[in-house]
Amino acid sequence: MNKAAFFDRDGTINIDKGYVHRIEDFEFIKGMPEFIKKYNDEGYKVIVVTNQAGIARGYYTQKEVDILHNYINEELAKIGAHIDAFYICPHHPDFTGDCNCRKPKTGMIEQAIKDFDIDVKQSVLFGDKPWDIECGERCNIKSYYIQDLLNEYSEI
Ligand SMILES: [Mg+2]
Ligand SMILES: [Zn+2]
């Protein structure tokens, strides 16, 4: 089995500017590439789980999100870091009806657990919002507010 570090995206990996989908609007939170690399080096699968209701709202397409995610991995590669997989919820209940993947629902993590043979007991989740933490905890994954950890990390 594998251990995983699950990451929310907006507000956790990059500054949340609201429906970020253009490369020019993407800005890593300070220290995040190195933080991700630490988990790569320790043998974790690094997996992003992100609600992207902007797709349901018609603000941008899945294809644009994929392009942005390729860019993120190109940038991370510059320091030898990478994200193993991105799971996206493209839904919003008002536009596409209910789904089982919009956090705090657990569909994305459950799919990742199957795809990567993840052991939840060895895994962690980082997010910036209560629904991230709730989602992780529903899956019995230790879940942390990234704000708290990056403060500690930058003091090391
Ligand atoms: Mg967030
Ligand atoms: Zn969904």
Side-chain angles (χ1 to χ4, degrees):
M1 291 190 98
N2 293 298
K3 52 189 180 180
F6 291 97
F7 287 78
D8 168 51
R9 199 192 76 185
D10 301 318
T12 300
I13 290 177
N14 55 283
I15 295 170
D16 189 355
K17 300 176 181 176
Y19 297 108
V20 169
H21 64 285
R22 291 189 199 90
I23 286 171
E24 54 265 40
D25 294 330
F26 183 88
E27 197 178 335
F28 278 112
I29 287 174
K30 194 168 174 295
M32 184 47 59
E34 295 78 10
F35 189 84
I36 289 171
K37 185 176 186 333
K38 190 174 73 118
Y39 284 90
N40 292 144
D41 292 348
E42 289 177 7
Y44 287 81
K45 300 289 179 192
V46 172
I47 297 171
V48 168
V49 286
T50 177
N51 288 352
Q52 291 297 328
I55 297 173
R57 292 173 181 274
Y59 296 165
Y60 46 85
T61 64
Q62 173 85 49
K63 172 103 176 123
E64 289 176 285
V65 173
D66 292 342
I67 289 168
L68 179 63
H69 290 174
N70 286 337
Y71 167 79
I72 295 170
N73 259 333
E74 285 167 15
E75 288 299 301
L76 289 172
K78 292 176 181 173
I79 64 155
H82 69 274
I83 290 164
D84 291 280
F86 292 86
Y87 289 84
I88 298 161
C89 168
H91 309 115
H92 186 285
D94 294 349
F95 296 85
T96 51
D98 224 355
C99 70
N100 67 4
C101 45
R102 182 173 165 82
K103 291 177 288 182
K105 291 187 177 169
T106 54
M108 290 189 282
I109 289 180
E110 283 167 15
Q111 188 61 49
I113 287 170
K114 282 186 205 148
D115 293 345
F116 288 91
D117 191 27
I118 300 299
D119 178 6
V120 292
K121 287 191 225 69
Q122 296 185 68
S123 298
V124 289
L125 177 143
F126 306 110
D128 71 313
K129 292 290 198 306
W131 49 85
D132 298 317
I133 305 305
E134 186 181 338
C135 176
E137 289 178 347
R138 281 187 190 179
C139 296
N140 297 313
I141 295 170
K142 276 201 192 102
S143 301
Y144 302 93
Y145 282 102
I146 196 72
Q147 301 90 321
D148 300 341
L149 290 183
L150 283 182
N151 290 340
E152 278 175 37
Y153 193 65
S154 62
E155 284 162 16
I156 293 168

